Amino acid sequence: MGAVVEAYVIERVLNNNVLILRANNQDEQIVIGRGIGFGARRGSPFSPTDARIEKRFTLVHEENQQHFEQLFSVVPEPVIGIAEEIIAYAAKALGRELHEHIHVALADHIGFALNRLRGGINIENPFIEEIQMLYPRAFAVAKTGAQWIEERFQIGIPIEEVGFLTLHLHSASHARKVRETVRLTDAVTLAVKELERLLGKTLPRSQLNYVRMMIHLRFAIQRILRDEPIQNPLADTIMEKMPESFAIARRVTQVIESKLKIHFPTDEIAYLTLHVDRFLS
């Protein structure tokens, strides 16, 4: 006798290409395939061995399962659907499975980005050229994903957002992501507390300047941890024109250096100085 195939029913129809199936034992699968959601209805049976399925995902960690379920209360299902299509494409194009946290992080980011762009707000990405240079494969995937988002939601996706998508995909494609994230997050938190102490004020978390600085800090630390140095041709000018901001940035990076046992080069401190100077101004 052949193996018994667990019976699945359709839990959610995210779009024409993405379904969420639930088994009798309550296990869930995210399945992606061209046209598998067309005409599908919630509660209908669906075979997990359907020949149209091109990619399937199962969230193993309970925390990610809970976060993914919570996602549906804040992010529209079509956004989650396009995120899953991009993840499936990325896994194939990059030749490796992505860390399962990407199923929450990418959909959440896309949803937030669409809300910002509809409101006419585009966050600056000062490292877009560097991102293209360091992560060309992930950037190519992100660019395709951005085109899909544009077509699906009828809104232009600027190159800065392609860069942010690239960071999500590149990070999720590396096994050391979780370990780095824990260390990086702790270091960044301490650095922000030190910056607030030096400035004598609490930084508003919703302010775009704060968002830009956080993105920069995380990316800078990842570069240093991976020994991927960059050059800042304006470093000397920044140090001369913004001495107070540079001194504060240096103190902030010293906190990170102490926590992670790394060395922040002057070029990186100069970039951080530009962010600090915005808060002083």
Side-chain angles (χ1 to χ4, degrees), residues 94-150:
L94 298 176
R96 63 176 69 188
E97 294 300 320
L98 307 188
H99 190 279
E100 67 176 46
H101 82 275
I102 192 67
H103 295 276
V104 176
L106 189 63
D108 186 54
H109 173 81
I110 293 173
F112 183 58
L114 287 173
N115 287 338
R116 281 194 288 97
L117 293 171
R118 286 169 179 148
I121 301 173
N122 180 31
I123 295 181
E124 176 187 343
N125 188 337
F127 300 106
I128 188 63
E129 292 183 0
E130 179 187 351
I131 291 171
Q132 294 182 63
M133 180 184 68
L134 292 176
Y135 315 122
R137 294 176 65 199
F139 185 84
V141 173
K143 193 172 182 180
T144 297
Q147 292 173 348
W148 292 353
I149 296 170
E150 288 183 336

Side-chain angles (χ1 to χ4, degrees), residues 56-69:
R56 71 183 75 236
F57 300 106
T58 300
L59 301 187
V60 176
H61 294 92
E62 184 176 354
E63 182 180 8
N64 289 323
Q65 293 173 358
Q66 292 173 352
H67 289 166
F68 188 72
E69 190 61 33

Side-chain angles (χ1 to χ4, degrees), residues 222-229:
Q222 288 176 339
R223 282 196 298 271
I224 294 171
L225 288 172
R226 294 168 182 162
D227 193 23
E228 298 171 347

